[in-house]
Amino acid sequence: MTLRSIARWPRFDWPGSYPLALLIALLALAPVSVLFWLAVDSAQLFDAHNLRVLTNTLLLMVFTVLGSIAIGVPLALVTAYVQMPWRRLWLILLAAPLAIPSYIGAFTLYAAFGPGGEIENLSGLETPAVNGLPGAALVMTLYSYPFVMLTTRASLLSLDASLVNAARTLGMTVAASLWRVVLPRAITGITAGGLLVALYTLSDFGTPAIMRLDTFTRVIFVEYNAFGLSQAAMLSLQLLVIVGLVLFLESRVRGSAEKPGRQLTLWPGRWQKLLTLLAVAPVTLLAVVLPLLVFGVWLLREGAGGFDFRYAWNSVHASFLAALAAVVLAVPVAHAAIAGRAGRLMERVTYFGFGVPGIVMGTALVYIGLQLPFLYQTLGLLVLAYVLRFLPLAVGSVRSTAEGLDPSLVKAARLLGASPREAFRRVTLPLTLRGMVAGAALVFLEAMRELPATLLLGPTGFETLATYLWRVYEAGYFGRAAIPGLLLVLMSALGLALMLSGERRAEFEVLESPQGQC
């Protein structure tokens, strides 16, 4: 054994990772292949109804992206540069809509506004109804603008304050320097956030369905319920074409290579601070406070009667199984991706499932279940849908942890006589445990929120928190939504806390560093 041969050892040697990763990648492609097979029997490619659905979907996407940019970019500037009172608290509140599934926001806004809504019942004030394209765009904007805010804020925090200081020295006002110097350099973050919003809007089922807007996701569900599986598959493929285009554009967005320097800070006067708070508050009130208040009113009015806590157990049970399976599958994919180019290709294939809307994944797996009767209407098929959809979350977490390990530890174990399998089991696997736990937590929380795939694939009589909420909406018993809605918000808040933990640490480091002033 020579030093040259030792240097050629892979960083993390796990025998069998490539074949396993290949099998998992093929499994991830299976639902799309099924959709092509089903769509052959569809007689209609585009008719007047399909064109209307396409128009509604694109309009909802465009309006939501524009609205999210209009809200998210100013809020990114405020949270990054303005020294507001309770700055960190406002950042958490403004990111909080990510902790609330959009269908919960749609449900509560639909119930609160309009004739006979909760606002009119409690205060006597008449309010316009929230439905259709305007209502869906409003709800989607309220619950997706944090994508733009967070990606733009990350770009803003990486900029050097000396650029703005130079512009101010040349006579520019603060507003002009932000418009002409700062925002052009943050365009990558804005674009990345906008594309994430577009993907989120295309894949959402609950909001268009509750707002009674015919988009692809809602019509696919209607066709499935009408036993039009081939037409649902054709619509699913049309939606996937749009999703694929957005994913391609997202892959072309590159991060800025600029190195951060001194941090910019704006110190507005007392009145500017008050105006800033007044501008920030309405978004938080509509997206966070109002849904919680509506659920609180329903809880006080009707209590917990009629809610079976087995629904919560069903959600936890299915999500836990999905999280466990996703981590087991993520380990070979992540290590194959680290090992070489072929592994990275397999990893990219598994990421395709994350771009497939839940309603599309459910449609494909329904057909697979029909061909394999031992799988149809079983918990295993539902767990498979969760795994295929959210596997990238676990893969990314495991890979990021594994890449941070020192490869000399594995080489030292090999020098001491350990086999590749033993070195992986005794060195690599324990050191990547933290990433595995984090990935499992993310998959668990996303599976808890998943609505359309659960509606299509859940076993008969198997209700989760999300599906029970949907049944309550369909039946018109809005008061019974309080318990499942609040539980879903609580579980989703845990996912937000995981996501923002790194953001808070980064912000603390920024606050401790010397800051420029303007």
Side-chain angles (χ1 to χ4, degrees):
M1 185 180 300
T2 65
L3 291 176
R4 182 174 296 179
S5 65
I6 294 173
R8 286 198 299 265
W9 282 347
R11 294 180 63 191
F12 305 107
D13 194 0
W14 181 21
S17 62
Y18 269 104
L20 287 173
L22 178 60
L23 288 175
I24 295 167
L26 292 176
L27 180 63
L29 287 177
V32 180
S33 304
V34 168
L35 289 176
F36 278 104
W37 177 264
L38 278 172
V40 171
D41 296 331
S42 178
Q44 297 177 339
L45 178 59
F46 275 111
D47 56 13
H49 178 62
N50 284 17
L51 290 175
R52 186 172 70 253
V53 171
L54 174 63
T55 301
N56 288 341
T57 302
L58 294 178
L59 286 176
L60 178 60
M61 181 185 72
V62 170
F63 289 156
T64 303
V65 169
L66 292 178
S68 298
I69 291 175
I71 295 175
V73 173
L75 291 180
L77 289 168
V78 167
T79 56
Y81 293 157
V82 176
Q83 288 293 322
M84 295 190 300
W86 312 299
R87 181 181 179 182
R88 214 170 282 179
L89 174 62
W90 280 109
L91 175 62
I92 295 172
L93 288 176
L94 290 171
L98 290 179
I100 301 177
S102 61
Y103 56 82
I104 286 182
F107 189 6
T108 52
L109 265 68
Y110 178 81
F113 289 92
E118 293 296 336
I119 294 178
E120 183 176 325
N121 293 337
L122 294 174
S123 65
L125 297 175
E126 295 185 2
T127 56
V130 177
N131 53 34
L133 179 59
L138 172 63
V139 172
M140 292 304 301
T141 298
L142 288 174
Y143 292 95
S144 58
Y145 79 82
F147 290 117
V148 176
M149 183 190 75
L150 293 174
T151 56
T152 305
R153 186 174 187 272
S155 294
L156 294 175
L157 290 176
S158 71
L159 299 182
D160 193 338
S162 61
L163 298 172
V164 177
N165 292 335
R168 294 298 311 281
T169 303
L170 295 174
M172 280 191 185
T173 63
V174 172
S177 60
L178 291 176
W179 178 257
R180 299 181 62 180
V181 178
V182 173
L183 288 181
R185 304 182 76 84
I187 194 66
T188 299
I190 298 172
T191 304
L195 291 172
L196 287 174
V197 170
L199 285 173
Y200 185 70
T201 306
L202 289 172
S203 65
D204 190 73
F205 161 76
T207 298
I210 291 173
M211 294 296 165
R212 301 177 183 179
L213 176 67
D214 281 340
T215 60
F216 275 116
T217 51
R218 182 174 188 245
V219 175
I220 290 169
F221 184 70
V222 171
E223 290 289 345
Y224 166 78
N225 284 333
F227 303 100
L229 199 55
S230 61
Q231 182 63 14
M234 177 59 72
L235 291 168
S236 299
L237 288 176
Q238 293 172 17
L239 176 58
L240 280 181
V241 170
I242 304 174
V243 171
L245 177 60
V246 176
L247 285 172
F248 171 76
L249 294 175
E250 193 273 338
S251 69
R252 307 302 297 175
V253 175
R254 302 299 181 200
S256 174
E258 184 171 336
K259 296 181 180 179
R262 298 179 67 232
Q263 191 63 40
L264 173 67
T265 304
L266 303 181
W267 295 86
R270 182 180 303 174
W271 290 108
Q272 288 93 329
K273 288 183 182 180
L274 179 59
L275 291 174
T276 301
L277 290 175
L278 291 177
V280 167
V283 176
T284 304
L285 289 174
L286 274 177
V288 180
V289 177
L290 181 61
L292 295 178
L293 285 177
V294 170
F295 282 140
V297 169
W298 289 344
L299 186 61
L300 291 174
R301 183 185 300 162
E302 301 199 16
F307 178 75
D308 191 340
F309 280 90
R310 284 182 300 177
Y311 304 151
W313 165 248
N314 289 341
S315 292
V316 171
H317 183 210
S319 300
F320 177 78
L321 292 177
L324 188 62
V327 167
V328 171
L329 296 180
V331 172
V333 174
H335 286 276
I338 295 174
R341 183 176 300 176
R344 288 194 292 272
L345 177 61
M346 299 172 198
E347 181 195 31
R348 289 290 181 91
V349 171
T350 63
Y351 272 68
F352 189 74
F354 198 56
V356 176
I359 192 74
V360 175
M361 183 70 72
T363 302
L365 292 184
V366 161
Y367 179 77
I368 293 177
L370 290 172
Q371 303 306 308
L372 303 172
F374 65 91
L375 272 180
Y376 187 65
Q377 287 286 303
T378 64
L379 182 60
L381 192 60
L382 177 61
V383 170
L384 177 62
Y386 291 160
V387 171
L388 292 180
R389 280 221 64 204
F390 306 123
L391 177 62
L393 297 175
V395 172
S397 182
V398 173
R399 180 179 176 180
S400 63
T401 303
E403 284 180 327
L405 301 181
D406 187 352
S408 63
L409 297 173
V410 175
K411 294 180 180 180
R414 295 293 306 279
L415 283 172
L416 293 174
S419 66
R421 189 180 303 276
E422 187 179 8
F424 175 81
R425 179 175 57 85
R426 299 184 62 181
V427 179
T428 305
L429 194 60
L431 292 176
T432 56
L433 185 60
R434 185 178 64 178
M436 295 167 63
V437 171
L442 290 174
V443 173
F444 176 85
L445 293 165
E446 285 299 321
M448 287 279 292
R449 297 154 52 113
E450 176 62 29
L451 173 61
T454 312
L455 284 174
L456 268 60
L457 298 170
T460 302
F462 184 84
E463 292 282 7
T464 64
L465 293 174
T467 59
Y468 179 75
L469 200 69
W470 175 257
R471 308 297 181 198
V472 165
Y473 159 75
E474 285 188 314
Y477 299 127
F478 290 179
R480 296 183 181 179
I483 297 294
L486 290 173
L487 287 175
L488 280 172
V489 171
L490 176 62
M491 297 303 300
S492 300
L494 296 177
L496 178 65
L498 283 175
M499 186 190 70
L500 286 181
S501 59
E503 159 72 23
R504 289 176 191 158
R505 285 195 295 270
E507 182 185 7
F508 179 77
E509 293 172 0
V510 167
L511 290 174
E512 290 296 317
S513 64
Q515 298 182 352
Q517 296 184 14
C518 177

